[in-house]
Amino acid sequence: LTTSITFGYEATFKPRISVGTEYTDNLFLEDSGEESEWITTISPSFKADIRGKKAGAKISYDPSYAFYDENDDFDRWRHTARLNGWAELSKNTRLKVSDYFLLTEDPLSVADIAEVRVEDPDEIIDTTLRKTRDKYYRNTANMTFSHQFGEFDNVNIGYRYYLMKNDVRTYNDKETHKPYMDLTYWFTHKWGANIGRSYTRADYDEEDDYDFIVASGRLLRRFTQR
């Protein structure tokens, strides 16, 4: 369903529903004593897109209910939601915001990391090795302010927030805050520089917290127009 409004924006809404069945021969990812299972999911979901001359947003929500054939105590709702928005604050200034939320019991919710990197490079990949079907959720929020002050000169200032919560204490709850900055400046048509800096504060439920600072610098040389 697409609606064009004379006020200068276009709205698109796309509902959908899908049914799928998954077979696993190792439900709990064990080295021995594997247990097989059939899992059926029913997923009503939607995507919405609003685009204007100076702002826009995309949102998707994909709830699904998982039915376990032998282990029905794991039957539950899964939720995935994404939000991406942008606004042109001025001719050379842009604001971008994004949020990704996941609630599931599936230990392999991110099976293809390469695909995730292509779809959303800013998304944090959880590398925790899970061997249970207990519920957990995570959320990643990001905001970036970009300003171009020259033909090729620009500065990006942003903030990223990440949260991981688990139903069981087997796995660590985690919360991170990460402000960052990136600046590119060309001294001449052929010579330029790029500097970047980020600070990460990580708070763990069971382990020691940590602070992590990253700084980078690059010298840039343009040989031809291409």
Side-chain angles (χ1 to χ4, degrees), residues 171-190:
Y171 306 105
N172 254 320
D173 293 343
K174 180 181 180 181
E175 184 178 26
T176 65
H177 303 266
K178 182 181 179 179
Y180 57 89
M181 181 274 292
D182 179 88
L183 171 68
T184 300
Y185 179 73
W186 289 87
F187 308 106
T188 68
H189 184 70
K190 293 185 177 181

Side-chain angles (χ1 to χ4, degrees), residues 50-64:
I50 302 175
R51 294 178 179 269
K53 292 182 178 180
K54 294 186 177 182
K58 290 183 178 181
I59 184 172
S60 64
Y61 177 47
D62 299 89
S64 63

